Every structure is written in structure tokens, then in C-alpha cells.
């Protein structure tokens, strides 16, 4: 494996602080090697060209496939009245939710 960038001691201390790890409870040699390996993996990934289309990872949908935009008649008032007995003057009557008792 080729040599890659490594983190310095200052960066390692900041990582310890951010992760709430104490230097006393952590083997710094092992942790530094693990972080250096992770940095190396990012360097490997950055070699791949991803500039072609960043949205290829998401499935595309076309509105035309979802539904047609045909105008259809709505419900007639007579049919709406059959849905609920609480339909009056073009509105549905609902229980009061504001004011006292709310």
C-alpha cells in the first residue's frame, strides 16, 4: 500500500476532545493508526471520478408516471350530504376545539 497522509498530534487531540475520549483511557498509538487508515480510505475514494452526475444515486421519477392530470368532476352537494349528517350550509360541522375546555 502506498503512503498516505496522516494526522498530526494536534488534530488527534481535537478528535479526542470532540469524541469525548480521554487520552488516559485510550491507546493513542492504536487510535492514531485507525484514524490514519480512515484518512487513507478517503484518499482511495477520492480517486474515483464522481463529477459525471451526482444525482445518479437517487431513483428518478417522472410526474407523468405518477398520475395523469385529467380534470374530473368533483362530488355533488347531494352526494356530500350523504357522507355525513353534520353537513350544513356547505360546510361540515365539527366539535369546538378552541375556547373553554381546550
Amino acid at each position: 500500500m502506498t503512503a498516505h497522509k496522516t494526522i498530526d498530534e494536534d488534530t488527534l487531540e481535537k478528535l479526542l476532545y470532540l469524541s469525548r475520549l480521554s487520552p488516559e483511557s485510550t491507546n493513542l498509538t492504536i487510535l492514531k493508526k485507525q484514524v490514519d487508515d480512515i484518512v487513507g480510505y478517503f484518499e482511495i475514494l477520492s480517486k474515483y471520478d464522481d463529477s459525471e452526475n451526482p444525482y445518479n444515486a437517487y431513483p428518478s421519477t417522472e410526474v407523468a408516471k405518477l398520475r395523469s392530470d385529467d380534470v374530473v368532476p368533483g362530488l355533488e352537494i347531494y352526494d356530500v350530504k350523504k357522507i355525513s349528517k353534520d353537513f350544513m350550509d356547505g360546510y361540515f360541522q365539527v366539535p369546538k376545539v378552541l375556547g373553554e375546555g381546550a
Side-chain angles (χ1 to χ4, degrees):
M1 183 172 194
T2 61
H4 57 274
K5 293 180 183 177
T6 59
I7 62 166
D8 58 8
E9 296 301 321
D10 184 49
T11 306
L12 185 59
E13 286 179 22
K14 290 177 183 175
L15 286 174
L16 286 172
Y17 175 76
L18 289 172
S19 61
R20 304 295 191 251
L21 294 172
S22 65
E24 297 82 29
S25 66
T26 307
N27 186 333
L28 295 180
T29 308
I30 292 174
L31 181 65
K32 182 172 181 347
K33 183 185 178 326
Q34 291 172 341
V35 173
D36 287 341
D37 289 344
I38 292 171
V39 171
Y41 296 141
F42 279 104
E43 288 178 2
I44 291 169
L45 290 174
S46 67
K47 293 178 184 176
Y48 293 97
D49 180 23
D50 63 347
S51 61
E52 185 176 318
N53 185 355
Y55 302 104
N56 280 344
Y58 305 103
S60 63
T61 57
E62 295 178 20
V63 175
K65 291 182 181 178
L66 299 177
R67 66 177 174 91
S68 63
D69 282 333
D70 298 332
V71 178
V72 295
L75 293 174
E76 297 292 329
I77 294 296
Y78 173 77
D79 296 326
V80 173
K81 288 180 180 178
K82 291 194 288 185
I83 293 173
S84 172
K85 63 180 175 61
D86 298 324
F87 185 78
M88 186 169 59
D89 296 329
Y91 299 96
F92 286 101
Q93 184 179 5
V94 295
K96 185 175 181 179
V97 294
L98 299 175
E100 293 181 27

